[in-house]
Structures are given as structure tokens and as C-alpha cells.
Amino acid sequence: MLKSTTICLFLALLVFVPACKDPYISPYKSPPTGYLVVEGYISGNTTTQFSLTRSIPLPGDSALPVVNDVSVEVQASDSSVYPLVAHGGGIYSSANTLPLNPQLQYRLRIKTPNGEQYLSDF
């Protein structure tokens, strides 16, 4: 008797638990191209590398679109500039370790072909 009650309870849970899911509707509206997503860091000890993608609408069941054909560079507070090289697939990196001065501040600058410009803080 206990075994059949346990099986019935388990089957009832299988039927009703999936019905408890409600789709999430975000109150935020993203631009048609999605938001620019920048992942990486500026390093003076290893190669500096960034990955650029665009966000996608929920439920997010497709691959993130990569961002190619942009200009990416590291800028120092003394106006020196270190351009990063595009490797395809949205990956941009320095050819070598950057000669960073710990007395200076650095930021990332991204410029798209249509003139949009993104700057991180120093």
C-alpha cells in the first residue's frame, strides 16, 4: 500500500510541477542590435585580451553574436595608445605584454564603423 501511494504521489508531482513555470517577461527593452558585452581585462603581466559580443533577448536560446570589425585600444592617462589586434570571433588582444606604467591610469576605447564610441573609466 505504501509503495503504491508513493508512486501515485510521484506521478502527481510529475504532472503538476512543470505547470508551475511561468515565462519571465523582462521589463527592460534592449536595442535591436542588443547591448555591447565586453569581457576581459587590461594586463601588464600577460597578453591583454577582450571578447566582444552582443546581448540577445530572453530566453537566450541562441548563440551570442560576436562583434567584429571594430577598433579596440587601451589608452593611458598620459595619452599613449596601445591598439589591440582583431583575431576573429569577437576576440581582440595585444600582440605582446603591454608596457604599462603603474603610475598611470588606463581605459579601454572601442569604436564601431558607424561612429559609436565606448570608453571605460580610467
Side-chain angles (χ1 to χ4, degrees), residues 87-100:
H87 296 284
I91 304 295
Y92 298 83
S93 69
S94 58
N96 298 307
T97 302
L98 299 179
L100 303 181

Side-chain angles (χ1 to χ4, degrees), residues 61-116:
D61 53 0
S62 60
L64 295 176
V66 297
V67 176
N68 291 311
D69 302 322
V70 297
S71 167
V72 181
E73 60 189 26
V74 175
Q75 295 179 330
S77 56
D78 71 348
S79 299
S80 57
V81 175
Y82 304 99
L84 301 184
V85 178
H87 296 284
I91 304 295
Y92 298 83
S93 69
S94 58
N96 298 307
T97 302
L98 299 179
L100 303 181
N101 180 345
Q103 304 302 316
L104 300 175
Q105 295 178 322
Y106 296 90
R107 70 178 175 188
L108 188 67
R109 177 179 178 254
I110 301 168
K111 188 173 181 184
T112 65
N114 64 357
E116 292 178 312

